[in-house]
């Protein structure tokens, strides 16, 4: 995203815009983030690669047909100066008849891995959305802080002019004027810092959303969330993609154990071959056809098979332990998200009271200062208290919005479908349904896959 000045940003965002301007909503930002996320594209491609693992495993259950062509030219220099050309062509077909189900178990394990990867993709989607919410809200927060700092700068400028006027008539000392000048310089510095924070927020918005912010509207309403933490935790344990992915990985591990156990059984394969040999020198043309069945199996492998079985069991146990950790982490994240929301809402209530009191105090002190009962420093301090309270309210509002969406994320519900964004969501099963039967290039499904990949590449 191109950089542009704070003034340009202010105009683009509606601070200095004249006439009607198109406003972006939080929903617009979420849709844009979903449609322009490189992170989502990356993980969709990884999911498609996992789909291909299934196709390759399925292919092992089908006949494997290979050909061999060999041509040979021989120059005989034993006094006869004869030459010979021979040609050999061979076609072989191998087919797995029996392996105690090891290959089919591998297919099933890879299917479980695909399902786990789909859940990972959902979690990535949640990450993209929470980043988008944060980027949207932080731009609005930064804008409001800039506006607040600008108002503060104007107000302190008025206070400085008032102090200078009172100094000229002898009502205050030079110290009062210097205090106002120092506070004005501080306000300019704070404004510059707020403008810098705004520029950073705009850049982050462009990175996450994929476009420049335009006249961002305040988020309207909030997504519905459970009324209690226990209810939210119960939902999270059922729906969170991290938990579902872990459960799928455990299922895959169980299948891998059975696959490892099948290694002790014999393998039976069938082979058919057709060969043709042509020898010009001897004027021979031979053809060979053969059909055979081969059975093979282990007798002694130094304990490698037993080790493989134990390894598969340990991997399964590791996945079970990981699931336990994930469940605890998910429950903790739900509690943390609710605590953040409660804190933000409590802060909103407290800050509203603080603002009300600070406004009354500021107005009173300002009036008393005109009567000589208060100093310039008293006025500036009261104004700073009011500014701090208003800034705290802006930050509390931003935190409250983000916390609501963090609760949805902690439950596994921060998705395009649950948010009802009304967009064409990515279907993770569409590509799988095209490849799961391992179509060949010239089949209808193979041609459909070519079209899909070309469309993705474009």
């Amino acid at each position: 995203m191109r950089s542009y000045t704070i003034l340009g940003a202010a105009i683009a965002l509606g601070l200095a815009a004249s006439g009607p301007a198109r406003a972006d909503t939080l929903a617009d930002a979420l849709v844009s983030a979903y449609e322009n996320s490189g992170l989502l594209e990356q993980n969709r491609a990884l999911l498609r690669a996992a789909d291909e693992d299934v196709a390759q495993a399925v292919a092992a259950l089908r006949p494997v047909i290979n050909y061999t062509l060999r041509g040979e030219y021989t120059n005989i220099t034993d006094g006869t100066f004869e030459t010979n050309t021979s040609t050999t062509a061979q076609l072989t077909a191998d087919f797995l008849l029996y392996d105690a189900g090891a290959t089919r178990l591998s297919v099933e394990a890879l299917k479980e891995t695909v399902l786990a990867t789909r859940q990972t993709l959902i979690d990535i989607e949640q990450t993209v959305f929470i980043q988008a919410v944060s980027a949207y809200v932080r731009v609005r927060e930064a804008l409001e802080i800039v506006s607040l700092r600008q108002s503060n700068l104007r107000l302190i400028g008025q206070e400085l002019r008032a102090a200078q006027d009172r100094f000229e008539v002898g009502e205050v000392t030079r110290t009062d004027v210097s205090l106002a000048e120092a506070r004005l310089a501080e306000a300019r510095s704070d404004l510059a810092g707020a403008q810098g924070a705004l520029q950073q927020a705009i850049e982050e918005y462009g990175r996450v959303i994929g476009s420049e912010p335009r006249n961002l509207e305040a988020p309207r309403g909030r997504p519905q969330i459970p009324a209690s933490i226990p209810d939210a935790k119960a939902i999270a344990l059922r729906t969170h993609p991290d938990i579902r992915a872990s459960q799928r990985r455990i299922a895959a591990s169980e299948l891998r154990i059975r696959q490892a156990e099948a290694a002790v059984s014999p393998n039976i394969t069938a082979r058919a071959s057709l060969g043709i040999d042509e020898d010009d020198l001897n004027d021979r043309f031979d053809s060979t056809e053969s059909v055979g069945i081969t059975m093979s199996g282990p007798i002694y492998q130094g304990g490698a098979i037993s080790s493989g079985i134990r390894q598969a069991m340990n991997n399964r146990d590791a996945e079970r332990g990981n699931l336990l950790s994930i469940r605890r982490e998910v429950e903790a994240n739900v509690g943390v998200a609710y605590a953040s929301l409660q804190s933000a809402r409590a802060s909103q209530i407290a800050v509203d009271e603080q603002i009300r009191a600070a406004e009354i105090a500021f107005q009173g002190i300002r009036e008393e200062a005109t009567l000589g009962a208060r100093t310039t420093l008293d006025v500036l301090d009261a104004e700073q208290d009011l500014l701090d309270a208003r800034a705290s309210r802006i930050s509390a509002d931003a935190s409250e919005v983000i916390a609501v969406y963090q609760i949805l994320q902690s439950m596994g519900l921060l998705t395009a479908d649950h948010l009802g964004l009304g967009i064409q969501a990515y279907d993770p099963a569409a590509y799988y349904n095209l490849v799961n039967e391992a179509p060949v290039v010239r089949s209808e499904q193979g041609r459909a896959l070519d079209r899909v990949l070309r469309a993705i590449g474009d």
Side-chain angles (χ1 to χ4, degrees), residues 441-453:
V441 175
R442 294 180 179 84
S443 68
E444 180 58 36
Q445 279 186 299
R447 289 192 291 270
L449 279 168
D450 287 340
R451 292 191 295 271
V452 169
L453 291 175

Side-chain angles (χ1 to χ4, degrees), residues 395-409:
S395 297
D397 289 345
S399 297
E400 190 264 344
V401 174
I402 294 173
V404 171
Y405 285 91
Q406 284 175 333
I407 289 174
L408 288 182
Q409 182 190 22

Side-chain angles (χ1 to χ4, degrees), residues 279-358:
D279 190 326
D280 289 345
L281 181 63
N282 299 314
D283 194 22
R284 291 173 51 192
F285 182 89
D286 300 323
S287 65
T288 305
E289 301 86 19
S290 67
V291 176
I293 294 178
T294 301
M295 183 173 72
S296 63
I299 295 176
Y300 176 73
Q301 294 190 0
I305 294 178
S306 298
S307 176
I309 295 172
R310 294 193 300 270
Q311 183 182 52
M313 289 179 174
N314 284 316
N315 287 335
R316 184 267 320 273
D317 294 342
E319 289 294 347
R320 287 176 175 175
N322 186 48
L323 175 59
L324 178 61
S325 297
I326 290 174
R327 288 172 62 91
R328 290 175 177 172
E329 182 178 359
V330 166
E331 288 186 297
N333 288 341
V334 171
V336 169
Y338 268 89
S340 297
L341 178 61
Q342 292 166 356
S343 175
R345 288 177 173 172
S347 179
Q348 287 174 323
I349 295 171
V351 169
D352 284 343
E353 180 61 24
Q354 182 183 359
I355 291 173
R356 186 193 65 78

Side-chain angles (χ1 to χ4, degrees), residues 160-238:
L160 174 59
R161 288 191 293 273
Q164 289 171 336
D165 292 341
R166 294 173 65 192
F167 171 72
E168 290 176 0
V169 297
E171 293 183 3
V172 298
T173 65
R174 183 66 189 173
T175 301
D176 293 281
V177 176
S178 296
L179 286 170
E181 289 173 340
R183 191 60 63 86
L184 182 64
E186 181 182 0
R188 287 172 178 159
S189 176
D190 291 340
L191 175 59
Q195 289 173 329
L198 172 59
Q199 185 65 50
Q200 293 176 25
I202 290 170
E203 295 295 339
E204 176 66 8
Y205 185 98
R207 183 189 73 83
V208 174
I209 307 300
S211 62
E212 296 176 356
R214 297 175 298 179
N215 196 26
L216 305 185
E217 291 186 358
R220 298 177 181 177
R222 302 289 184 268
Q224 187 174 3
I225 57 175
S228 70
I229 295 178
D231 289 344
K233 287 183 177 181
I235 293 172
L237 292 176
R238 294 194 306 269

Side-chain angles (χ1 to χ4, degrees), residues 69-399:
L69 297 175
R70 184 173 68 250
E72 185 174 327
Y73 174 81
T74 305
N75 185 21
I76 304 173
T77 58
D78 60 354
T80 62
F81 300 100
E82 293 180 317
T83 61
N84 181 39
T85 302
S86 63
T87 305
T88 300
Q90 186 175 28
L91 187 67
T92 61
D94 294 283
F95 183 63
L96 177 66
L97 297 177
Y98 177 79
D99 67 351
T103 302
R104 292 193 179 277
L105 288 167
S106 176
V107 171
E108 294 304 314
L110 289 169
K111 287 181 179 179
E112 292 293 340
T113 301
V114 165
L115 295 175
T117 308
R118 290 183 188 178
Q119 294 301 316
T120 299
L121 181 60
I122 293 174
D123 197 47
I124 295 297
E125 180 180 337
Q126 290 202 126
T127 298
V128 169
F129 280 144
I130 197 63
Q131 289 178 347
V133 170
S134 179
Y136 187 97
V137 170
R138 293 309 178 193
V139 169
R140 280 194 50 83
E141 178 187 17
L143 279 168
E144 293 181 22
I145 293 294
V146 166
S147 179
L148 187 64
R149 294 294 181 188
Q150 289 171 335
S151 298
N152 179 57
L153 185 63
R154 289 192 295 270
L155 185 58
I156 293 179
Q158 295 172 2
E159 295 297 333
L160 174 59
R161 288 191 293 273
Q164 289 171 336
D165 292 341
R166 294 173 65 192
F167 171 72
E168 290 176 0
V169 297
E171 293 183 3
V172 298
T173 65
R174 183 66 189 173
T175 301
D176 293 281
V177 176
S178 296
L179 286 170
E181 289 173 340
R183 191 60 63 86
L184 182 64
E186 181 182 0
R188 287 172 178 159
S189 176
D190 291 340
L191 175 59
Q195 289 173 329
L198 172 59
Q199 185 65 50
Q200 293 176 25
I202 290 170
E203 295 295 339
E204 176 66 8
Y205 185 98
R207 183 189 73 83
V208 174
I209 307 300
S211 62
E212 296 176 356
R214 297 175 298 179
N215 196 26
L216 305 185
E217 291 186 358
R220 298 177 181 177
R222 302 289 184 268
Q224 187 174 3
I225 57 175
S228 70
I229 295 178
D231 289 344
K233 287 183 177 181
I235 293 172
L237 292 176
R238 294 194 306 269
T239 62
H240 200 283
D242 284 350
I243 292 177
R244 288 181 168 180
S246 181
Q247 291 169 337
R248 292 297 184 182
R249 287 193 294 268
I250 290 173
S253 297
E254 295 282 3
L255 291 165
R256 293 296 186 192
I257 294 172
R258 294 170 57 191
Q259 182 184 357
E261 291 171 342
V264 301
S265 300
N267 285 358
I268 302 176
T269 58
R271 164 168 285 204
S273 68
L274 172 64
I276 300 173
D277 293 307
E278 183 178 5
D279 190 326
D280 289 345
L281 181 63
N282 299 314
D283 194 22
R284 291 173 51 192
F285 182 89
D286 300 323
S287 65
T288 305
E289 301 86 19
S290 67
V291 176
I293 294 178
T294 301
M295 183 173 72
S296 63
I299 295 176
Y300 176 73
Q301 294 190 0
I305 294 178
S306 298
S307 176
I309 295 172
R310 294 193 300 270
Q311 183 182 52
M313 289 179 174
N314 284 316
N315 287 335
R316 184 267 320 273
D317 294 342
E319 289 294 347
R320 287 176 175 175
N322 186 48
L323 175 59
L324 178 61
S325 297
I326 290 174
R327 288 172 62 91
R328 290 175 177 172
E329 182 178 359
V330 166
E331 288 186 297
N333 288 341
V334 171
V336 169
Y338 268 89
S340 297
L341 178 61
Q342 292 166 356
S343 175
R345 288 177 173 172
S347 179
Q348 287 174 323
I349 295 171
V351 169
D352 284 343
E353 180 61 24
Q354 182 183 359
I355 291 173
R356 186 193 65 78
E359 285 176 341
I360 294 173
F362 173 66
Q363 295 299 331
I365 291 174
R366 200 176 191 186
E367 290 296 328
E368 292 171 6
T370 60
L371 301 175
R374 293 283 187 171
T375 65
T376 300
L377 181 59
D378 292 332
V379 176
L380 294 174
D381 286 343
E383 193 277 333
Q384 185 64 45
D385 290 340
L386 179 57
L387 172 70
D388 292 342
R390 287 173 174 167
S392 295
R393 187 59 162 89
I394 293 171
S395 297
D397 289 345
S399 297

